[in-house]
Amino acid sequence: MQAAVRRISREGTLSVPRDEITDGGKIMEKKNLDWANLSFGYMTTDYRYVSVYRDGAWDEGCLTTDPNVTMNECAGILHYCQEVFEGLKAYTTEDGHIVTFRPDLNAERMMNSAARLEMPAFPRERFLDAVEQVVKANAAWVPPYGSGATLYVRPYMFATGPVIGVKPSDEYQFRILVTPVGPYFKGGAKPISICVSDFDRAAPHGTGDIKAGLNYAMSLHPYVLAHENGYDENMYLDSATRTYVEETGGANFLFVTKDGEIVIPKSGSILPSITRRSLVYVAEHYLGLKVTQRPVAFAEVGEFAECGLCGTAAVISPVGRVVDHGKEICFASGMDEMGPTIKKLYETLTGIQMGTVEAPEGWIHRIM
Ligand SMILES: *Cc1c(COP(=O)(O)O)cnc(C)c1O
């Protein structure tokens, strides 16, 4: 482990001076990619950020060109799954700046996730600086404005120190990789079909409210089943009573009543989506809509007029129908397009992100 990191630092590390990247104010030439047709997949980019936690402290961190991670066979991540992650986007605004959206909330959420898994906090200011360094260094990979594509930024932290008896590791790596991803909705947002899962996502007082790989490992089987049965996603119910709506594998629900009010499921085992929290603000402060956050019984889902899934990748994916073992709930908004309220929410939030609608103070973090 130690040797591997030293090797990266000696050969692969490049500390990119900030003004060299902009070439005297001019953004470096973009990679020659078909931006509008990229998929949501991994592509190796030029730089990634690495910081190592050892002897109770984080090192100074650096950018490296080496995309591979070398670690001990007994590393805590490999046996007891000590890992947390984040996801955010860097993109080009209408006026040509490269920005990220509310990265401070990702920094804070990652600290909360880490605390729950007995991992060290990667400090907020360090997190923001690391995002800035890695996005700047990969500026050529940030899709141009109007392409619909974005640079997906994936901070993650995992246990590298050897553990065989169950206990927290004493060595960790914090890394950030970036990869360009295509527009989530190619040719318009088509409503999706979801099914009620027979499996549970998270227990009360469990880990449903943190962003950790362990919550995804166990969701893969239900996800594959849902796809085999022709559904795009699973709706998970609360595992204690199986009567309340939780979320999908990776996105929060948002419902719209027939009177145009927003209802957000509330539960201690739902991951606090930054997109959903932003949409709540937009609904209340930009659109003047009433928002209620409360437990939502599955039995009342059929009463709503619109349903959407909130997350960084798509902002909102409209849901056209929910199927519970053959019983179908079809929303009034139908299977062809977004419902009117979800559409307004989507357009306002993406407008704020892209710089065509004025953003609340502190939401848009300019990188260059
Ligand atoms: C990341 C994630 C979301 C969406 O959160 P955003 O901050 O909006 O991207 C929702 N649910 C789960 C389980 C997640 O991991």
Side-chain angles (χ1 to χ4, degrees):
M1 176 60 242
Q2 222 147 340
V5 170
R6 280 212 206 94
R7 183 155 44 73
I8 292 172
S9 326
R10 242 185 275 120
E11 293 159 16
T13 303
L14 274 174
S15 199
V16 182
R18 287 171 195 204
D19 25 1
E20 249 176 57
I21 301 160
T22 55
D23 188 20
K26 202 169 78 246
I27 293 172
M28 63 157 65
E29 217 176 297
K30 294 287 177 191
K31 300 285 171 181
N32 186 20
L33 298 178
D34 183 6
W35 303 106
N37 290 305
L38 291 174
S39 64
F40 197 91
Y42 170 73
M43 184 184 289
T44 311
T45 51
D46 295 334
Y47 301 100
R48 61 280 303 127
Y49 180 88
V50 193
S51 181
V52 170
Y53 183 88
R54 187 179 292 138
D55 301 327
W58 290 105
D59 70 7
E60 71 279 15
C62 62
L63 293 170
T64 167
T65 54
D66 186 351
N68 296 308
V69 178
T70 305
M71 66 178 117
N72 186 270
E73 61 186 352
C74 214
I77 173 59
L78 301 177
H79 302 275
Y80 304 126
C81 210
Q82 248 190 316
E83 186 262 4
V84 296
F85 69 97
E86 273 304 324
L88 66 159
K89 296 187 291 196
Y91 51 92
T92 311
T93 56
E94 195 182 30
D95 57 2
H97 290 290
I98 293 177
V99 304
T100 52
F101 182 72
R102 309 188 78 181
D104 50 318
L105 297 188
N106 296 99
E108 277 158 25
R109 190 169 64 185
M110 194 167 189
M111 289 196 278
N112 294 336
S113 300
R116 178 67 177 79
L117 297 191
E118 284 297 331
M119 300 168 82
F122 194 73
R124 177 194 144 101
E125 292 314 315
R126 290 270 330 256
F127 181 102
L128 295 175
D129 177 62
V131 167
E132 194 158 318
Q133 283 190 44
V134 75
V135 170
K136 268 189 182 164
N138 291 291
W141 297 92
V142 181
Y145 176 77
S147 64
T150 56
L151 187 74
Y152 186 71
V153 179
R154 167 56 60 88
Y156 57 116
M157 188 205 292
F158 51 94
T160 51
V163 282
I164 198 77
V166 176
K167 67 173 173 66
S169 174
D170 50 15
E171 289 180 12
Y172 297 87
Q173 272 189 40
F174 169 88
R175 299 179 74 102
I176 306 180
L177 69 82
V178 300
T179 191
V181 293
Y184 199 85
F185 300 120
K186 293 194 178 95
K190 281 277 174 221
I192 59 171
S193 292
I194 64 177
C195 60
V196 175
S197 179
D198 288 329
F199 295 90
D200 294 334
R201 192 188 90 86
H205 317 294
T207 54
D209 59 341
I210 64 163
K211 209 165 176 71
L214 53 85
N215 287 327
Y216 281 79
M218 56 78 216
S219 77
L220 296 176
H221 177 57
Y223 181 78
V224 168
L225 279 181
H227 275 233
E228 280 173 4
N229 293 325
Y231 301 105
D232 299 288
E233 269 297 345
N234 282 298
M235 170 185 274
Y236 290 104
L237 302 180
D238 76 290
S239 60
T241 71
R242 301 193 58 85
T243 51
Y244 291 97
V245 175
E246 291 269 307
E247 60 172 317
T248 66
N252 286 181
F253 280 104
L254 175 153
F255 295 103
V256 184
T257 68
K258 297 197 164 85
D259 304 325
E261 293 182 7
I262 309 296
V263 177
I264 305 283
K266 190 173 173 180
S267 148
S269 43
I270 291 177
L271 192 281
S273 158
I274 294 165
T275 313
R276 183 255 295 162
R277 287 182 270 164
S278 303
L279 287 165
V280 164
Y281 186 92
V282 165
E284 287 178 331
H285 296 90
Y286 283 66
L287 304 177
L289 302 175
K290 181 165 182 263
V291 179
T292 310
Q293 310 205 38
R294 60 166 172 83
V296 173
F298 179 69
E300 61 176 303
V301 167
E303 322 258 301
F304 294 118
E306 299 175 49
C307 171
L309 297 179
C310 319
T312 292
V315 179
I316 313 184
S317 304
V319 175
R321 59 179 197 138
V322 182
V323 181
D324 178 24
H325 301 89
K327 270 197 319 237
E328 267 195 28
I329 296 167
C330 296
F331 295 103
S333 48
M335 292 304 291
D336 294 321
E337 53 193 343
M338 281 189 179
T341 304
I342 284 188
K343 185 157 193 237
K344 261 189 274 175
L345 284 167
Y346 176 81
E347 285 175 351
T348 311
L349 185 55
T350 51
I352 287 171
Q353 291 181 332
M354 289 300 164
T356 57
V357 173
E358 196 181 338
E361 175 86 34
W363 278 25
I364 306 299
H365 185 82
R366 189 191 284 186
I367 288 180
M368 60 194 286

